Amino acid sequence: MTSHQERYDNWAPDYNKDVAARNYDGPEYMVEYLMELADANKVPVSPSLPDFKILDVACGSGLVGQMLQKKGFSHIDGTDLSQGMIVEAHHSGAYQTLMAWINLNQPLPFFLHGQYDLTVCCGVFALDFVEPKSLSHLVQVTKPGGTIIMSTKTTYYDTYDFAGYYQSLVETGALELVDYRMNKPYLGTEADGHYWVFNVPAAQEGAA
């Protein structure tokens, strides 16, 4: 058992209460940001689209899923490293399918690849959790033409070369940067976060 997994398994029953006390507003900010872009037709995201599927990667206790559910999205799946957190996410009632023991430092299970119109990852790209290359794992599970929205803690962004890594994916055509916001609400007065919205390009006609 990894130290992070054990920590979050133990924390799970009190997690929502504890982060509320610290004014963890990342999930709410991320979903509001997403809906602003959707309303401006910058991303193909809408709860009214038939069969629109969302994957909440490292979903924790389900805070993002609950925010998305309130916006009318109905097909939300979630993964997390912690079984304890998955239990809490199940209690939220926001998810159709939940999968535990999924480590974002490794490629996500093959049966998830290319399955989701929207991939969400909030609060995970933080110090010592995942490497920037884990962004490529988010790309894998997103449908061509689909959207990724994620956050990086400011300290993570300053310490790791996240910008360099995502730019390398853009240069190879694996990803397109749609929008971003820097130094926005994340964890009350303790920390700010950066928010990133990417498009996974649709396969080009005639491509091998």
Side-chain angles (χ1 to χ4, degrees), residues 7 10 18 32 38 42 76 83 99 116 127-128 134 139 143 155 166 175 181 195:
R7 175 191 172 199
N10 293 333
D18 290 349
E32 291 297 335
K42 291 187 175 181
I76 310 168
Q83 170 68 14
M99 292 155 274
Y116 292 93
L127 289 179
D128 301 327
S134 294
V139 175
K143 290 179 182 179
T155 49
Y166 90 69
L175 208 58
R181 293 181 181 175
Y195 295 84

PDB file of all heavy atoms in Angstrom, residues 7 10 18 32 38 42 76 83 99 116 127-128 134 139 143 155 166 175 181 195:
ATOM      1  N   ARG A   7      -2.910   7.168   3.466  1.00  0.00           N
ATOM      2  CA  ARG A   7      -3.293   8.453   4.058  1.00  0.00           C
ATOM      3  C   ARG A   7      -4.746   8.793   3.723  1.00  0.00           C
ATOM      4  O   ARG A   7      -5.534   9.187   4.594  1.00  0.00           O
ATOM      5  CB  ARG A   7      -2.368   9.552   3.542  1.00  0.00           C
ATOM      6  CG  ARG A   7      -2.760  10.950   4.011  1.00  0.00           C
ATOM      7  CD  ARG A   7      -1.992  12.020   3.264  1.00  0.00           C
ATOM      8  NE  ARG A   7      -2.491  13.348   3.573  1.00  0.00           N
ATOM      9  CZ  ARG A   7      -2.279  14.424   2.829  1.00  0.00           C
ATOM     10  NH1 ARG A   7      -1.574  14.331   1.725  1.00  0.00           N
ATOM     11  NH2 ARG A   7      -2.770  15.590   3.181  1.00  0.00           N
ATOM     12  N   ASN A  10      -7.434   6.546   5.323  1.00  0.00           N
ATOM     13  CA  ASN A  10      -7.671   6.914   6.721  1.00  0.00           C
ATOM     14  C   ASN A  10      -8.425   8.241   6.841  1.00  0.00           C
ATOM     15  O   ASN A  10      -9.216   8.439   7.775  1.00  0.00           O
ATOM     16  CB  ASN A  10      -6.344   7.010   7.472  1.00  0.00           C
ATOM     17  CG  ASN A  10      -5.654   5.665   7.630  1.00  0.00           C
ATOM     18  OD1 ASN A  10      -6.313   4.619   7.651  1.00  0.00           O
ATOM     19  ND2 ASN A  10      -4.335   5.665   7.732  1.00  0.00           N
ATOM     20  N   ASP A  18     -13.180  18.287   6.722  1.00  0.00           N
ATOM     21  CA  ASP A  18     -11.887  18.940   6.901  1.00  0.00           C
ATOM     22  C   ASP A  18     -11.591  19.939   5.788  1.00  0.00           C
ATOM     23  O   ASP A  18     -11.124  21.061   6.052  1.00  0.00           O
ATOM     24  CB  ASP A  18     -10.773  17.892   6.962  1.00  0.00           C
ATOM     25  CG  ASP A  18     -10.816  17.067   8.235  1.00  0.00           C
ATOM     26  OD1 ASP A  18     -11.562  17.430   9.169  1.00  0.00           O
ATOM     27  OD2 ASP A  18     -10.100  16.037   8.304  1.00  0.00           O
ATOM     28  N   GLU A  32     -17.560  25.802 -12.465  1.00  0.00           N
ATOM     29  CA  GLU A  32     -18.091  27.078 -12.934  1.00  0.00           C
ATOM     30  C   GLU A  32     -17.303  27.579 -14.150  1.00  0.00           C
ATOM     31  O   GLU A  32     -17.882  28.101 -15.119  1.00  0.00           O
ATOM     32  CB  GLU A  32     -18.058  28.118 -11.813  1.00  0.00           C
ATOM     33  CG  GLU A  32     -19.026  27.836 -10.678  1.00  0.00           C
ATOM     34  CD  GLU A  32     -20.494  27.864 -11.115  1.00  0.00           C
ATOM     35  OE1 GLU A  32     -20.816  28.536 -12.126  1.00  0.00           O
ATOM     36  OE2 GLU A  32     -21.316  27.215 -10.443  1.00  0.00           O
ATOM     37  N   ALA A  38     -18.342  26.515 -21.799  1.00  0.00           N
ATOM     38  CA  ALA A  38     -19.389  25.826 -22.555  1.00  0.00           C
ATOM     39  C   ALA A  38     -20.430  26.820 -23.057  1.00  0.00           C
ATOM     40  O   ALA A  38     -20.862  26.749 -24.220  1.00  0.00           O
ATOM     41  CB  ALA A  38     -20.041  24.760 -21.685  1.00  0.00           C
ATOM     42  N   LYS A  42     -16.857  27.509 -26.360  1.00  0.00           N
ATOM     43  CA  LYS A  42     -15.425  27.255 -26.506  1.00  0.00           C
ATOM     44  C   LYS A  42     -15.072  25.779 -26.314  1.00  0.00           C
ATOM     45  O   LYS A  42     -14.002  25.345 -26.731  1.00  0.00           O
ATOM     46  CB  LYS A  42     -14.637  28.119 -25.519  1.00  0.00           C
ATOM     47  CG  LYS A  42     -14.662  29.597 -25.848  1.00  0.00           C
ATOM     48  CD  LYS A  42     -13.727  30.379 -24.935  1.00  0.00           C
ATOM     49  CE  LYS A  42     -13.664  31.838 -25.328  1.00  0.00           C
ATOM     50  NZ  LYS A  42     -12.725  32.610 -24.463  1.00  0.00           N
ATOM     51  N   ILE A  76     -21.440  10.205 -15.068  1.00  0.00           N
ATOM     52  CA  ILE A  76     -20.140  10.559 -14.496  1.00  0.00           C
ATOM     53  C   ILE A  76     -19.552   9.297 -13.887  1.00  0.00           C
ATOM     54  O   ILE A  76     -20.169   8.666 -13.027  1.00  0.00           O
ATOM     55  CB  ILE A  76     -20.268  11.651 -13.412  1.00  0.00           C
ATOM     56  CG1 ILE A  76     -21.088  12.840 -13.926  1.00  0.00           C
ATOM     57  CG2 ILE A  76     -18.884  12.101 -12.945  1.00  0.00           C
ATOM     58  CD1 ILE A  76     -21.508  13.818 -12.840  1.00  0.00           C
ATOM     59  N   GLN A  83      -9.465   3.355  -1.880  1.00  0.00           N
ATOM     60  CA  GLN A  83     -10.758   2.677  -1.747  1.00  0.00           C
ATOM     61  C   GLN A  83     -11.664   3.432  -0.778  1.00  0.00           C
ATOM     62  O   GLN A  83     -12.886   3.517  -0.982  1.00  0.00           O
ATOM     63  CB  GLN A  83     -10.540   1.246  -1.250  1.00  0.00           C
ATOM     64  CG  GLN A  83     -11.810   0.503  -0.843  1.00  0.00           C
ATOM     65  CD  GLN A  83     -12.728   0.177  -2.003  1.00  0.00           C
ATOM     66  OE1 GLN A  83     -12.323   0.265  -3.158  1.00  0.00           O
ATOM     67  NE2 GLN A  83     -13.959  -0.202  -1.715  1.00  0.00           N
ATOM     68  N   MET A  99     -14.117   3.237  -9.655  1.00  0.00           N
ATOM     69  CA  MET A  99     -13.024   2.272  -9.683  1.00  0.00           C
ATOM     70  C   MET A  99     -11.923   2.700  -8.728  1.00  0.00           C
ATOM     71  O   MET A  99     -11.412   3.823  -8.834  1.00  0.00           O
ATOM     72  CB  MET A  99     -12.458   2.167 -11.105  1.00  0.00           C
ATOM     73  CG  MET A  99     -13.413   1.537 -12.108  1.00  0.00           C
ATOM     74  SD  MET A  99     -13.082   2.045 -13.834  1.00  0.00           S
ATOM     75  CE  MET A  99     -14.032   3.584 -13.906  1.00  0.00           C
ATOM     76  N   TYR A 116     -14.332   8.894 -23.139  1.00  0.00           N
ATOM     77  CA  TYR A 116     -14.987  10.002 -22.430  1.00  0.00           C
ATOM     78  C   TYR A 116     -14.957  11.305 -23.217  1.00  0.00           C
ATOM     79  O   TYR A 116     -13.937  11.703 -23.770  1.00  0.00           O
ATOM     80  CB  TYR A 116     -14.350  10.186 -21.045  1.00  0.00           C
ATOM     81  CG  TYR A 116     -14.665   9.005 -20.161  1.00  0.00           C
ATOM     82  CD1 TYR A 116     -13.795   7.918 -20.086  1.00  0.00           C
ATOM     83  CD2 TYR A 116     -15.871   8.941 -19.485  1.00  0.00           C
ATOM     84  CE1 TYR A 116     -14.119   6.801 -19.310  1.00  0.00           C
ATOM     85  CE2 TYR A 116     -16.199   7.830 -18.708  1.00  0.00           C
ATOM     86  CZ  TYR A 116     -15.322   6.777 -18.631  1.00  0.00           C
ATOM     87  OH  TYR A 116     -15.647   5.671 -17.881  1.00  0.00           O
ATOM     88  N   LEU A 127       2.187  18.716  -5.293  1.00  0.00           N
ATOM     89  CA  LEU A 127       3.516  18.199  -4.971  1.00  0.00           C
ATOM     90  C   LEU A 127       3.466  16.739  -4.525  1.00  0.00           C
ATOM     91  O   LEU A 127       2.660  16.361  -3.671  1.00  0.00           O
ATOM     92  CB  LEU A 127       4.168  19.049  -3.883  1.00  0.00           C
ATOM     93  CG  LEU A 127       4.610  20.447  -4.317  1.00  0.00           C
ATOM     94  CD1 LEU A 127       5.217  21.195  -3.140  1.00  0.00           C
ATOM     95  CD2 LEU A 127       5.624  20.362  -5.452  1.00  0.00           C
ATOM     96  N   ASP A 128       4.321  15.928  -5.143  1.00  0.00           N
ATOM     97  CA  ASP A 128       4.555  14.527  -4.769  1.00  0.00           C
ATOM     98  C   ASP A 128       3.421  13.579  -5.151  1.00  0.00           C
ATOM     99  O   ASP A 128       3.507  12.383  -4.878  1.00  0.00           O
ATOM    100  CB  ASP A 128       4.838  14.380  -3.263  1.00  0.00           C
ATOM    101  CG  ASP A 128       6.047  15.190  -2.827  1.00  0.00           C
ATOM    102  OD1 ASP A 128       6.977  15.319  -3.640  1.00  0.00           O
ATOM    103  OD2 ASP A 128       6.040  15.688  -1.688  1.00  0.00           O
ATOM    104  N   SER A 134       1.668  12.481 -16.314  1.00  0.00           N
ATOM    105  CA  SER A 134       0.343  11.903 -16.079  1.00  0.00           C
ATOM    106  C   SER A 134      -0.722  12.585 -16.923  1.00  0.00           C
ATOM    107  O   SER A 134      -1.801  12.020 -17.134  1.00  0.00           O
ATOM    108  CB  SER A 134      -0.025  11.985 -14.599  1.00  0.00           C
ATOM    109  OG  SER A 134       0.838  11.157 -13.830  1.00  0.00           O
ATOM    110  N   VAL A 139      -5.136  12.223 -21.535  1.00  0.00           N
ATOM    111  CA  VAL A 139      -5.372  12.262 -22.980  1.00  0.00           C
ATOM    112  C   VAL A 139      -5.879  10.903 -23.467  1.00  0.00           C
ATOM    113  O   VAL A 139      -6.813  10.824 -24.274  1.00  0.00           O
ATOM    114  CB  VAL A 139      -4.088  12.659 -23.732  1.00  0.00           C
ATOM    115  CG1 VAL A 139      -4.307  12.590 -25.243  1.00  0.00           C
ATOM    116  CG2 VAL A 139      -3.638  14.063 -23.329  1.00  0.00           C
ATOM    117  N   LYS A 143     -12.036  11.003 -25.574  1.00  0.00           N
ATOM    118  CA  LYS A 143     -12.363  10.771 -26.983  1.00  0.00           C
ATOM    119  C   LYS A 143     -11.691  11.812 -27.873  1.00  0.00           C
ATOM    120  O   LYS A 143     -11.519  12.969 -27.459  1.00  0.00           O
ATOM    121  CB  LYS A 143     -13.880  10.887 -27.199  1.00  0.00           C
ATOM    122  CG  LYS A 143     -14.714   9.786 -26.595  1.00  0.00           C
ATOM    123  CD  LYS A 143     -16.195  10.060 -26.868  1.00  0.00           C
ATOM    124  CE  LYS A 143     -17.099   9.010 -26.255  1.00  0.00           C
ATOM    125  NZ  LYS A 143     -18.533   9.303 -26.497  1.00  0.00           N
ATOM    126  N   THR A 155       2.249  25.826  -6.427  1.00  0.00           N
ATOM    127  CA  THR A 155       3.563  25.334  -6.016  1.00  0.00           C
ATOM    128  C   THR A 155       4.030  24.193  -6.918  1.00  0.00           C
ATOM    129  O   THR A 155       5.221  24.059  -7.206  1.00  0.00           O
ATOM    130  CB  THR A 155       3.532  24.855  -4.559  1.00  0.00           C
ATOM    131  OG1 THR A 155       2.404  23.986  -4.369  1.00  0.00           O
ATOM    132  CG2 THR A 155       3.439  26.019  -3.594  1.00  0.00           C
ATOM    133  N   TYR A 166       3.173  19.975 -21.190  1.00  0.00           N
ATOM    134  CA  TYR A 166       1.947  20.103 -21.999  1.00  0.00           C
ATOM    135  C   TYR A 166       2.266  20.727 -23.354  1.00  0.00           C
ATOM    136  O   TYR A 166       1.654  20.372 -24.372  1.00  0.00           O
ATOM    137  CB  TYR A 166       0.838  20.847 -21.247  1.00  0.00           C
ATOM    138  CG  TYR A 166       0.776  22.343 -21.386  1.00  0.00           C
ATOM    139  CD1 TYR A 166       0.421  22.953 -22.584  1.00  0.00           C
ATOM    140  CD2 TYR A 166       1.031  23.171 -20.294  1.00  0.00           C
ATOM    141  CE1 TYR A 166       0.353  24.330 -22.705  1.00  0.00           C
ATOM    142  CE2 TYR A 166       0.953  24.545 -20.404  1.00  0.00           C
ATOM    143  CZ  TYR A 166       0.629  25.121 -21.605  1.00  0.00           C
ATOM    144  OH  TYR A 166       0.555  26.480 -21.725  1.00  0.00           O
ATOM    145  N   LEU A 175      -2.495  17.325 -28.344  1.00  0.00           N
ATOM    146  CA  LEU A 175      -3.292  18.145 -27.444  1.00  0.00           C
ATOM    147  C   LEU A 175      -3.362  19.556 -27.998  1.00  0.00           C
ATOM    148  O   LEU A 175      -2.448  20.018 -28.691  1.00  0.00           O
ATOM    149  CB  LEU A 175      -2.609  18.163 -26.057  1.00  0.00           C
ATOM    150  CG  LEU A 175      -3.449  18.359 -24.806  1.00  0.00           C
ATOM    151  CD1 LEU A 175      -4.520  17.283 -24.696  1.00  0.00           C
ATOM    152  CD2 LEU A 175      -2.533  18.315 -23.579  1.00  0.00           C
ATOM    153  N   ARG A 181      -6.432  29.663 -16.780  1.00  0.00           N
ATOM    154  CA  ARG A 181      -6.518  30.752 -15.809  1.00  0.00           C
ATOM    155  C   ARG A 181      -5.495  30.507 -14.710  1.00  0.00           C
ATOM    156  O   ARG A 181      -5.426  29.409 -14.163  1.00  0.00           O
ATOM    157  CB  ARG A 181      -7.920  30.856 -15.205  1.00  0.00           C
ATOM    158  CG  ARG A 181      -8.982  31.292 -16.205  1.00  0.00           C
ATOM    159  CD  ARG A 181     -10.342  31.416 -15.564  1.00  0.00           C
ATOM    160  NE  ARG A 181     -11.358  31.822 -16.532  1.00  0.00           N
ATOM    161  CZ  ARG A 181     -12.653  31.908 -16.256  1.00  0.00           C
ATOM    162  NH1 ARG A 181     -13.092  31.635 -15.031  1.00  0.00           N
ATOM    163  NH2 ARG A 181     -13.518  32.281 -17.189  1.00  0.00           N
ATOM    164  N   TYR A 195      -5.710  26.669 -13.681  1.00  0.00           N
ATOM    165  CA  TYR A 195      -6.701  25.797 -14.318  1.00  0.00           C
ATOM    166  C   TYR A 195      -6.449  25.755 -15.822  1.00  0.00           C
ATOM    167  O   TYR A 195      -6.204  26.796 -16.439  1.00  0.00           O
ATOM    168  CB  TYR A 195      -8.115  26.296 -14.007  1.00  0.00           C
ATOM    169  CG  TYR A 195      -8.443  26.192 -12.538  1.00  0.00           C
ATOM    170  CD1 TYR A 195      -8.064  27.202 -11.655  1.00  0.00           C
ATOM    171  CD2 TYR A 195      -9.092  25.072 -12.023  1.00  0.00           C
ATOM    172  CE1 TYR A 195      -8.328  27.102 -10.295  1.00  0.00           C
ATOM    173  CE2 TYR A 195      -9.364  24.966 -10.668  1.00  0.00           C
ATOM    174  CZ  TYR A 195      -8.976  25.974  -9.809  1.00  0.00           C
ATOM    175  OH  TYR A 195      -9.228  25.876  -8.452  1.00  0.00           O
TER     176      TYR A 195
END
